[in-house]
């Protein structure tokens, strides 16, 4: 059974393996992280952990039973009570409800553990899979996203009110 865990230092090797194994798959629908990300992975991973420790965000990995990473899910805290959601799942689990189930759980954690009332997520207009995940988990369109934030691709912001019991985010 997959397990959602807060990002820890001992996840580094599994996260790097996940990113490398899925790089081409991710680049087909979201901006590629670029060679610099992989060249500086250790420093960037440590920075993410430091940001989490400083309460700038909450970062999660979805682990398979063998300890491999099936997905990454990030809450980047913005204004008080609000965070931006980002996520990516491995190609071999895409289309199987993994992202939807985990975003449901992350909405619950955002409200219960992090005291958030609003989540926002941006996706490119061509990323239909991400749009389906967001709408299935209680997010609604909230306006255009700046293409500069999406690797030059036109996009849309989605928003989820975590204070509304819509049956989706209260699980």
């Amino acid at each position: 059974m997959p397990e959602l865990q807060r990002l820890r230092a001992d996840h580094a090797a599994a996260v790097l393996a996940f990113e490398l194994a899925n790089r081409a798959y991710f680049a087909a629908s979201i901006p590629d992280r670029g060679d610099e990300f992989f060249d500086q992975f250790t420093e960037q991973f440590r920075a993410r952990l430091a940001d989490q420790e400083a309460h700038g965000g909450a970062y999660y990995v979805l682990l398979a039973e063998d300890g491999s990473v099936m997905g990454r899910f990030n809450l980047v805290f913005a204004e008080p009570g609000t965070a931006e959601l980002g996520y990516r799942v491995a190609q071999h689990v895409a289309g199987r409800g993994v992202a939807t189930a985990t975003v449901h759980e992350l909405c619950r954690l955002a409200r219960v553990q992090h005291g958030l009332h609003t989540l926002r997520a941006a996706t490119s207009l061509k990323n239909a899979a991400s749009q389906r995940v967001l709408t299935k988990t209680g997010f609604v369109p909230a306006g255009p996203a700046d293409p500069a934030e999406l690797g030059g691709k036109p996009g849309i912001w989605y928003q989820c009110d975590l204070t509304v019991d819509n049956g989706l985010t209260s699980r």
Side-chain angles (χ1 to χ4, degrees), residues 5-81:
Q5 295 183 4
R6 284 288 289 266
L7 188 66
R8 302 186 313 256
D10 64 329
H11 292 135
V15 169
L16 179 58
F18 163 80
E19 291 289 350
L20 287 168
N22 292 283
R23 184 176 183 182
Y25 170 68
F26 294 147
S29 60
I30 57 178
D32 183 57
R33 294 188 184 269
D35 291 337
E36 185 176 313
F37 172 81
F38 296 98
D39 293 343
Q40 299 175 0
F41 178 81
T42 300
E43 295 82 6
Q44 292 195 28
F45 191 84
R46 286 182 186 148
R48 181 67 44 102
L49 290 173
D51 185 55
Q52 182 170 258
E53 185 69 26
H55 305 289
Y59 307 101
Y60 292 86
V61 289
L62 183 65
L63 299 177
E65 289 181 24
D66 66 1
S68 64
V69 175
M70 298 169 58
R72 294 182 65 181
F73 299 82
N74 303 323
L75 297 173
V76 178
F77 302 144
E79 58 196 62

Side-chain angles (χ1 to χ4, degrees), residues 36 80 98 104:
E36 185 176 313
V98 170
H104 271 298

